[in-house]
Amino acid sequence: MTDHVHDLRSVREATDRLLTAVAKMDNAALSEESHLPGWTRGHILAHLARNADALVNVFEGRPMYESASARDADIASDADRSLEEHLTDLRDSGARFLATTEPDQDWSRTVELRNGVTDLAANVPFRRWVEVDLHHVDLNIGYELHHLPEEFTDREIAFLADRWSGRPDVPPVTLRAMPDEVWHTGGTEGTPVVLEGPKDELLGWLAGRGLKGAHLAVVAGDGLPELPPL
């Protein structure tokens, strides 16, 4: 089983990195474009705070979000707040999430996330870590894919490779990171593809981030496949 205690510690560390970086911004920077199309930096910070509260709902047996439209409306309404308001909300919502994980509970139980997705409670801390660290990259403030902790990158590559496995709209893909790390993803239809390159580029392709694998070497197949949106 996933080590949720370790992952919760990683969530705290990632949150501290994020808060330290965001505190160096100013109000004007919040309205500037992030790496996510259509979202400002303020949208990302609002999403991170509301995601923390949504995961509290998950642990307490409520729907993660009231609805998709309510989720989007909350992000839109909170995006234009001041830097001080964003920082306070990030700290407080993050603390609420961590407090919900402190009582004794069955970490092997199944919980429900968005859109009917289920997972073990023990995996939720890693999901929160992913939200915090990947969206830190999305803020476009100097924290890039190659700055992510190596453990995070390895685990997220494995997670996303599994996510795209069995998809009929994705050809069979072998991912290679030198010297000898290999992952497999995609379905069974189409010409097999082999992609090779540094792990941050492999993660960028799988997650639709950064240059989205533009610097990966296609050593077999018909070119870099296009993945569906996450």
Side-chain angles (χ1 to χ4, degrees):
M1 182 181 291
T2 301
D3 185 350
H4 65 274
V5 175
H6 167 81
D7 288 347
L8 287 168
R9 184 164 57 247
S10 297
V11 169
R12 292 184 181 91
E13 293 168 355
T15 302
D16 287 345
R17 281 195 299 273
L18 175 70
L19 289 169
T20 298
V22 171
K24 297 176 182 177
M25 297 166 60
D26 57 29
N27 287 319
L30 291 172
S31 62
E32 294 175 354
E33 291 183 0
S34 71
H35 284 316
L36 294 182
W39 270 18
T40 66
R41 291 168 177 146
H43 283 90
I44 289 177
L45 298 181
H47 163 62
L48 280 169
R50 299 290 67 79
N51 173 263
D53 285 336
L55 292 177
V56 170
N57 289 336
V58 167
F59 274 116
E60 295 183 348
R62 296 185 295 273
M64 187 168 178
Y65 294 100
E66 180 181 334
S67 65
S69 59
R71 169 188 176 272
D72 294 344
D74 286 343
I75 293 170
S77 65
D78 290 346
D80 293 334
R81 296 177 303 177
S82 69
L83 178 63
E84 182 178 355
E85 289 173 302
H86 275 297
L87 283 168
T88 298
D89 196 13
L90 283 169
R91 290 191 190 99
D92 291 350
S93 60
R96 286 192 294 271
F97 167 73
L98 291 173
T100 307
T101 69
E102 290 173 357
D104 290 338
Q105 55 192 287
D106 178 10
W107 286 95
S108 67
R109 74 187 188 279
T110 298
V111 295
E112 185 170 347
L113 303 166
R114 289 183 67 198
N115 303 321
V117 173
T118 59
D119 203 350
L120 297 180
N123 293 333
V124 173
F126 180 67
R127 287 178 176 270
R128 177 59 182 173
W129 183 12
V130 170
E131 291 287 328
V132 175
D133 248 348
L134 269 189
H135 283 315
H136 190 167
V137 172
D138 293 333
L139 282 172
N140 188 21
I141 56 175
Y143 187 69
E144 304 297 342
L145 290 169
H146 63 268
H147 293 128
L148 292 165
E150 184 176 5
E151 179 201 352
F152 174 94
T153 299
D154 289 345
R155 290 176 64 184
E156 185 64 355
I157 288 174
F159 176 83
L160 292 174
D162 181 70
R163 177 171 181 159
W164 299 127
S165 291
R167 290 287 296 258
D169 49 349
V170 180
V173 180
T174 298
L175 305 167
R176 293 179 182 166
M178 302 302 289
D180 57 3
E181 294 182 88
V182 177
W183 300 265
H184 300 280
T185 193
T188 58
E189 301 297 324
T191 303
V193 176
V194 178
L195 303 177
E196 193 171 275
K199 285 190 281 191
D200 62 296
E201 282 285 326
L202 293 172
L203 176 58
W205 177 70
L206 287 164
R209 257 73 174 189
L211 297 175
K212 300 181 181 180
H215 291 165
L216 292 175
V218 182
V219 298
D222 297 329
L224 186 69
E226 183 174 347
L227 291 173
L230 281 174

